[in-house]
Amino acid sequence: MAYDLITMGRIGVDLYPLQTGVPLPQVTTFGKFLGGSATNVAVAAARLGRSTAVITRTGDDPFGTYLHEALRDFGVDDRWVTPAPGLPTPVTFCEVFPPDDFPLYFYRQPKAPDLEIDAHDLDLDAIHEARIFWITGTGLSEEPSRTATLAALAHRAKSGTTVFDLDWRPMFWKDPSAARPFYEEALRHTTVAVGNLDEVEVATGVREPHAAAQALLDAGVELAVVKQGPKGVLAVNRDGESAEVPPLPVNVLNGLGAGDAFGGSLCHGLLAGWDLEKIMRHANAAGAIVASRLECSSAMPTVAEVEGAIAAGAVL
């Protein structure tokens, strides 16, 4: 079976406060959710009807068991989610200060299991056959995950669609200044690059959106997607087609996870063969819906919800 989408990267448990506008020391109630960017993208695409799987690792502990159960509940294949002995499943806390302040606190010590993905354990045939393969910048931050990520990309050899989520988290790098060469290597093997202004600057040294999109194309990708925050999203492909789409109006509750919903929808639109503007409008709507909700994974929208938001011109 060839999957519509296989993602590779972070997984963990999100413990989000059920009280908004309250500093973490004063929060008394939390909700427990499946988390991790690459994993959330797989969930988002599954919610839109796509067959998805994730390659990652957890701790051999109750939180790891919970993540397997949650993946199955969301319809994401967990066959390549394996335990890393001696390492705890990562936990992430956040604070929720709408509309634009959502500090994250990552507990990934002494090392996150998802950075222990080993090239020798990869199902390279499945990776090659997937219609879309999705990797992240975090996967390049440490060994053996870095070698595994680049090995998977090399074996895939740009078959189908290969997406690089630039996913810049400087706290995950021992030396953040050393990241760019690894980003450049990954870009040579991918067909789509997705990132916000900070992330495209890390990957290319360029921040202006149109120039950054061109720099990503020059680095080897066929489609560059640059998220511009309140200015919306810019997409440019190698054929010269471009689309610049404003964000959908929304009352933001929690902006975390919106980018993962965008990613899952992006994959859905690419698989459907839509034109760039339709893909970006759908992805923007999916992200806006999640931004209107507290949680991430369980907030991922259905096709009907995205189409409703697009028809209404806002998230109501």
Side-chain angles (χ1 to χ4, degrees):
M1 166 187 170
Y3 292 87
D4 289 329
L5 170 67
I6 296 176
T7 69
M8 180 173 168
R10 288 204 311 276
I11 194 170
V13 176
D14 288 344
L15 294 175
Y16 284 2
L18 300 181
Q19 301 147 280
T20 61
V22 179
L24 205 53
Q26 280 74 57
V27 173
T28 57
T29 54
F30 294 85
K32 178 170 100 282
F33 307 101
L34 171 75
S37 180
T39 303
N40 280 340
V41 170
V43 170
R47 275 283 174 90
L48 297 172
R50 298 298 177 175
S51 60
T52 71
V54 60
I55 301 168
T56 189
R57 305 194 73 180
T58 70
D60 188 7
D61 53 26
F63 274 149
T65 301
Y66 160 71
L67 294 176
H68 278 278
E69 293 172 351
L71 285 168
R72 294 184 200 121
D73 287 344
F74 287 126
V76 177
D77 196 323
D78 65 341
R79 70 181 62 193
W80 297 304
V81 181
T82 59
L87 294 176
T89 298
V91 174
T92 302
F93 288 88
C94 80
E95 293 175 301
V96 180
F97 298 106
D100 58 3
D101 187 18
F102 309 101
L104 279 169
Y105 303 90
F106 294 98
Y107 291 81
R108 291 167 59 86
Q109 300 299 327
K111 186 179 185 179
D114 54 67
L115 293 174
E116 282 290 298
I117 299 171
D118 193 287
H120 297 95
D121 298 327
L122 296 176
D123 187 336
L124 293 175
D125 289 340
I127 289 170
H128 184 79
E129 292 167 5
R131 297 178 68 191
I132 297 181
F133 180 53
W134 178 289
I135 63 103
T136 76
T138 294
L140 300 171
S141 64
E142 281 197 47
E143 295 290 4
S145 172
R146 177 186 299 150
T147 292
T149 300
L150 294 175
L153 291 176
H155 184 82
R156 186 164 169 83
K158 290 193 174 183
S159 60
T161 299
T162 305
V163 183
F164 182 11
D165 174 6
L166 302 179
D167 180 43
W168 176 240
R169 305 283 182 177
M171 71 286 291
F172 295 164
W173 290 76
K174 293 176 181 176
D175 180 7
S177 66
R180 186 171 297 165
F182 300 112
Y183 272 65
E184 291 172 344
E185 176 65 17
L187 286 169
R188 284 194 284 272
H189 295 286
T190 50
T191 62
V192 180
V194 184
N196 61 31
L197 296 178
D198 290 336
E199 290 166 339
V200 298
E201 185 174 20
V202 167
T204 68
V206 181
R207 189 174 182 86
E208 194 281 322
H210 290 269
Q214 186 58 54
L216 290 169
L217 294 174
D218 291 343
V221 305
E222 297 169 12
L223 171 63
V225 180
V226 181
K227 301 173 187 177
Q228 305 176 79
K231 294 184 178 179
V233 61
L234 168 69
V236 183
N237 68 21
R238 188 170 295 283
D239 295 331
E241 182 185 6
S242 66
E244 195 159 7
V245 177
L248 206 63
V250 58
N251 289 321
V252 175
L253 176 58
N254 184 358
L256 302 173
D260 302 331
F262 181 101
S265 175
L266 169 68
C267 293
H268 178 64
L270 291 170
L271 289 165
W274 295 341
D275 63 61
L276 272 188
E277 182 167 341
K278 182 174 181 179
I279 292 173
M280 293 304 117
R281 290 193 182 281
H282 194 280
N284 265 357
I289 289 169
V290 172
S292 74
R293 300 170 175 174
L294 175 64
E295 65 274 22
C296 292
S297 53
S298 55
M300 297 301 170
T302 63
V303 169
E305 288 174 324
V306 177
E307 290 177 347
I310 293 171
V315 177
L316 303 178

